[in-house]
Amino acid sequence: MTLRLTDFLIVCPLVFLSGFVDAIGGGGGLISLPAYLLSGLPPHLAIGTNKFSSSCGTLISTVRYCKNKCVDWGLAIPGIIASVIGAQIGARLSLAADESVLRVLLLVVLPLVALYVLFRRDLEPKDPNSIPRRRQYIIVSLLTLVIGVYDGFYGPGTGTFILLVYTGLCRMPLMKSAGNMKLANLASNISSLLVFLPGGQVLIPLGAAAAVFSIAGHWVGAGLAMKNGSRFVRIIILCVLVLLFIKVLTGQ
C-alpha cells in the first residue's frame, strides 16, 4: 500500500491524543482506530497497525507506572495471565459469534457504568485493600479474564473496564489499579499483535511513526494521572464511556 503525507498528518496527532487518554483511563482505541480508518487503511490493516503503535505507547506508560511503584505485583501476575487467555478466547469467538449480541449488551451496561462513575465522586476507595487478599485474587483473575475475552472479541474501552473493576470491586488504590490495568492491557495488546504481524496486517512505516506519537501521549498522560489522581481520571473515564456508547449506538 502506498502511503501519502496526509496519512501521517491524519493518524499521528490523533494517536498522540489516544495515547494521552489511554494512559489515564483506558479507551484510547476509540480514537486511534478510527484515525487509521480515516486515513483509508482497510479494516484488518488498520486494526493490526493500531495494535502495533498502541502496544509501543502502552509499554511506555506501563514502565512509568512501574518505576513509580504504582503496581501491586501480587495481583498483577494473575491479571496478566487472565488477560492473555481471555484475549485469545475472545479473538476466536469473534470469528464465530454475531457482534450484534455484544452491541445490545453494551447498550445496557454502558449507561449503568457511566452513572456509577458520575455519582461516585472519588474513584479512590475510601477503604483501600479492605477485602481479603484471597478475594482480590479471585476477582482479578475472573473479571480480567472476562474483560480479556471482550478485548479479543471487540476491544474499545478495555482498560477503562479493568480500572473500574480494580478500584470498585477489588478496593485497590487508584494508582495501583492504573498500573495493574496497564500491565493487563499491554499483555492483551501484545497477544493480539502476535496474531496480526505474521499475517502481514501491520503497515510498519505508518505504525512506527504513529508509535512515536503514541509513546509521547502515554508519557504525558501517565504523568498527569499520577499528579492529579482521581479527579482527572474520572473525567477521562466518563468521556471514554460516552464515546464508546456513541460508537456502539451508531454501529461505527
Side-chain angles (χ1 to χ4, degrees), residues 143-158:
L143 292 186
T144 307
L145 176 67
V146 171
I147 297 171
V149 172
Y150 165 79
D151 191 28
F153 189 97
Y154 192 65
T158 295

Side-chain angles (χ1 to χ4, degrees), residues 75 129 131-140 170 172:
L75 295 173
N129 296 319
I131 66 174
R133 188 69 168 177
R134 183 177 180 182
R135 190 182 302 173
Q136 285 184 315
Y137 282 123
I138 293 172
I139 293 171
V140 166
C170 292
M172 291 171 60

